[in-house]
Amino acid sequence: MEALLSLVIGILTACGVYLILRTRTFPVVLGLTLLSYSVNLFLFSMGRLTIGHPPIISPSAPGYADPLPQALVLTAIVISFAMTAFVIMLALKARAELGNDHVDGGRRK
Amino acid sequence: MSHLVIAPILLPLLAGIALLLLRPFAIEMRRLLGLFAVAGQVALAIALLNRVRTGDILTYALGGWAPPFGIVLVADRLAAWMLLITTLLALFALLHAARGSDVRGRHFHVLFQLQLFGLNGAFLTGDLFNLFVFFEILLLASYGLLLHGGGRQRTRAGLHFVVINLAGSTLFLFAIGTLYGVLGTLNLADLSRQASTLPARDLGPVQSAGLLLFAVFALKSALLPMHLWLPAAYASASASVAALFAIMTKVGAYGILRLETLVFGDNTGPLSGLIQTWMLPLALLTMVIGMLGVLAADTLRRQVAYLVVVSVGMLLTAFGLGSAAGIAAGLYYLPHTTFAAGAFFLLADAIARRRGEFGDRLEAEIALSDRHLLGALYFLVALLIAGLPPLSGFLGKWLTLQAALLHPWREWVIAAILVTGLFGIIALARSGSLLFYRSVAIEPGLDDVPTTVPVRELLPATALILLCGALVIWAGAADDFTRATAEQLLQPDDYLRAVLELTRGFAS
């Protein structure tokens, strides 16, 4: 499972980096989203991969899942959600004001 | 546990919320509320500085959760010093905005307070993830402030600024995740303790996480090669926002300094000096490349923005020396460069508004009113920024050069500082002569140039210059304080003890 998860995180990050370097704003937004997905998965896995274990103290528990990465991921998801909304609005504004969706505002300089 | 520590975070947050609710009310009232809130933060920063001046470290466990499990706020000399600089700069930036530029966007005052909320929180927090959250808060507010006033130029610069900072935030999270995965903690004091007893097999991941964090802070502070976002963003922001942004690069420098001394300091064995080996060469290169930008700039605001890049190089050179004297010199240079850059942005705007359609383009033969007053202020700011005696820029440079004498790289450091200083003088003298000596007086018949811009609006810039003057007059006291701060930073045991005592207090 570790190999699969690291493969997924790696592919997501690579796609995100590739898309961020594109010249149109929409792929860039998608790239940022993919990057935030990959980092969220990464944060999750930092509490070690456990299945079926409770995150709170219980006398019958055979082991525990680390609850802190889950709290961190929740915060990171909220923040990246807000940031994505903002960057989409900004990209739309740039499209309206600059007349095209090139990240540098078009060739006319 | 003193509640004073959290007050500088709560005040701007509550003021921001109040300002959001009070939007239907008159702008004068909201301005007054915003100004009172910032003045209150200055008072809180002074009170906090007074409490930690003797070397005490105040801690505050949020929600009563003991560290390292809960989030802890820590106020030491460095945090209080940064708070005071931020709030003073913000006060004068807001005074400038209150002259009328704040009505060009709907939520200027709310965003301004939230920006301070993020800044104050970033300086006070003692938890790495909490630092990330405060960084996001201050960045989100800064996106709004950067776009304040609208316009194509701002939108284009804003898009770059937002995207590069979002990529930086992702790197920040990767670094935090790696550190937590290996060390199992995010509390800075606990990280420092865990790092000093790190088994050799975990060295690789922690080193890569440390360098990732350094990259993130270098991005925020516009260190080479990640400085390219800064000139466009700062040159296109409105004047009071650009003045406030003068502190933004210093947040990155603060993060580097905190990390370098606390987690990767001398006491952490194989990890010590991890950041320093990269920092000094990059800082020196930043200074040189930034100065090339200063020389090549075609507008005054772009020139000031590149001067901010140069000052970041200078600041991180001082920090990168690693000695107590170097860090102390950097901490003396930090308020000077923040206030001087803030004053310069405000002044550049005042000049641009008096030149009509020519704005701040560096061209000769353009009509300019209030030439003598503006010229005198420009002369003072140029002296400050170029680091000529008798003003505070010279003292900061002098202290840095003195500290550099004991460093093995002294030839490179001294050469870079002196040569960029010389080019700075040349560039500023050339812009000054283009703007003032070779301008023409206003002819009475000419009506396309605004002549009636009130002189009063220059008061905030003048006040910032006076603050730099105060740094000269009380240079002895400031130097003593920054030296004590540097000593405290290089002895992280006190910091660890203060935080871990809190843990023990909860256990008993």
Side-chain angles (χ1 to χ4, degrees), chain B residues 312-334:
Chain B
V312 167
M314 176 80 189
L315 187 64
L316 291 179
T317 301
F319 289 164
L321 293 173
S323 60
I327 294 175
L331 288 176
Y332 179 86
Y333 185 75
L334 199 152

Side-chain angles (χ1 to χ4, degrees), chain B residues 429-508:
Chain B
R430 199 192 56 185
S431 322
S433 68
L434 279 177
L435 288 171
F436 300 106
Y437 285 143
R438 297 178 59 198
S439 66
V440 290
I442 296 277
E443 289 166 31
L446 224 61
D447 55 4
D448 60 331
V449 178
T451 54
T452 52
V453 186
V455 176
R456 268 184 316 178
E457 75 161 36
L458 289 170
L459 282 178
T462 316
L464 284 173
I465 297 174
L466 287 179
L467 278 179
C468 289
L471 267 178
V472 180
I473 296 173
W474 285 287
D479 188 45
D480 287 345
F481 178 79
T482 53
R483 264 172 217 278
T485 311
E487 302 279 340
Q488 191 180 44
L489 284 172
L490 291 174
Q491 299 287 334
D493 294 345
D494 289 343
Y495 188 102
L496 300 192
R497 205 175 304 127
V499 175
L500 299 175
E501 238 169 51
L502 202 57
T503 317
R504 223 168 294 129
F506 274 99
S508 59

Side-chain angles (χ1 to χ4, degrees), chain B residues 332-341 384-385 387 391-394 396 468 471:
Chain B
Y332 179 86
Y333 185 75
L334 199 152
H336 146 75
T337 178
T338 309
F339 296 148
L384 277 171
I385 298 249
L391 295 178
S392 52
F394 172 71
C468 289
L471 267 178

Side-chain angles (χ1 to χ4, degrees), chain B residues 115-452:
Chain B
Q115 169 94 57
L116 286 173
F117 169 54
L119 284 166
N120 294 352
F123 294 136
L124 283 173
T125 185
D127 183 280
L128 197 56
F129 194 79
N130 199 225
L131 183 65
F132 165 76
V133 174
F134 277 121
F135 257 97
E136 293 306 305
I137 292 170
L138 79 88
L139 284 173
L140 197 48
S142 75
Y143 303 155
L145 283 177
L146 178 62
L147 296 171
H148 172 72
R152 297 160 54 100
Q153 194 63 36
R154 275 181 199 144
T155 308
R156 185 188 302 154
L159 193 63
H160 292 183
F161 182 69
V162 172
V163 169
I164 193 153
N165 273 306
L166 285 180
S169 305
T170 315
L171 282 187
F172 203 161
L173 278 177
F174 272 117
I176 288 175
T178 313
L179 278 181
Y180 182 78
V182 179
L183 299 174
T185 181
L186 289 171
N187 182 294
L188 284 174
D190 204 29
L191 275 178
S192 168
R193 206 177 46 163
Q194 305 280 352
S196 58
T197 56
L198 190 71
R201 68 190 159 84
D202 289 340
L203 202 59
V206 175
Q207 272 176 334
S208 52
L211 287 176
L212 261 181
L213 277 182
F214 173 60
V216 172
F217 292 136
L219 172 78
K220 313 279 176 200
S221 59
L223 192 68
L224 197 85
M226 289 169 289
H227 64 290
L228 287 170
W229 59 269
L230 188 141
Y234 281 35
S236 55
S238 67
S240 38
V241 172
L244 180 68
F245 278 12
I247 194 73
M248 291 265 290
T249 52
K250 276 71 185 183
V251 190
Y254 164 85
I256 292 176
L257 183 62
R258 184 65 90 193
L259 205 66
E260 180 203 351
T261 55
L262 194 59
V263 186
F264 301 105
D266 291 336
N267 62 334
T268 50
L271 285 172
S272 73
L274 176 71
I275 289 176
Q276 247 169 43
T277 44
W278 290 91
M279 188 149 107
L280 194 55
L282 285 178
L284 292 176
L285 276 175
T286 308
M287 246 196 302
V288 174
I289 301 285
M291 196 43 88
L292 292 181
V294 173
L295 286 170
D298 54 355
T299 66
L300 185 57
R301 263 186 287 220
R302 191 165 277 269
Q303 192 164 50
V304 185
Y306 271 109
L307 283 167
V308 172
V309 176
V310 175
S311 80
V312 167
M314 176 80 189
L315 187 64
L316 291 179
T317 301
F319 289 164
L321 293 173
S323 60
I327 294 175
L331 288 176
Y332 179 86
Y333 185 75
L334 199 152
H336 146 75
T337 178
T338 309
F339 296 148
F344 213 161
F345 275 120
L346 297 184
L347 189 64
D349 181 61
I351 294 170
R353 285 174 52 190
R354 284 171 172 75
R355 295 173 91 212
E357 57 177 303
F358 293 99
D360 59 345
R361 260 181 285 159
L362 294 173
E363 285 172 23
E365 315 293 337
I366 290 162
L368 181 71
S369 60
D370 304 322
R371 280 198 293 176
H372 300 289
L373 179 63
L374 285 174
L377 286 177
Y378 178 89
F379 180 66
L380 280 178
V381 174
L383 278 188
L384 277 171
I385 298 249
L388 291 178
L391 295 178
S392 52
F394 172 71
L395 289 177
K397 239 171 218 189
W398 170 257
L399 290 170
T400 312
L401 288 173
Q402 212 176 22
L405 285 176
L406 299 171
H407 196 271
W409 287 32
R410 54 182 165 278
E411 299 88 358
W412 292 101
V413 176
I414 292 173
I417 292 178
L418 292 182
V419 171
T420 54
L422 175 67
F423 280 117
I425 295 169
I426 294 172
L428 288 168
R430 199 192 56 185
S431 322
S433 68
L434 279 177
L435 288 171
F436 300 106
Y437 285 143
R438 297 178 59 198
S439 66
V440 290
I442 296 277
E443 289 166 31
L446 224 61
D447 55 4
D448 60 331
V449 178
T451 54
T452 52

Side-chain angles (χ1 to χ4, degrees), chain A residues 13 25 28 32 35 38-39 42-43 46 48 66 68-69 72 75-76 79 83 86-87 90 93-94 97-98 103-105 108-109, chain B residues 129 132-133 136 139-140 143-144 147 150-152 155-156 158-160 162-163 166-167 170 173-174 176-178 180-182 186:
Chain A
T13 312
T25 48
V28 171
L32 287 170
L35 270 185
S38 72
V39 82
F42 179 76
L43 278 180
M46 280 302 116
R48 305 297 183 270
D66 191 343
L68 192 75
L72 300 186
T75 315
I79 289 176
M83 292 295 179
F86 183 83
V87 81
L90 188 59
K93 187 174 150 73
E97 282 185 10
L98 305 173
V103 285
D104 285 333
R108 201 199 62 79
K109 274 281 180 72
Chain B
F129 194 79
F132 165 76
V133 174
E136 293 306 305
L139 284 173
L140 197 48
Y143 303 155
L147 296 171
R152 297 160 54 100
T155 308
R156 185 188 302 154
L159 193 63
H160 292 183
V162 172
V163 169
L166 285 180
T170 315
L173 278 177
F174 272 117
I176 288 175
T178 313
Y180 182 78
V182 179
L186 289 171

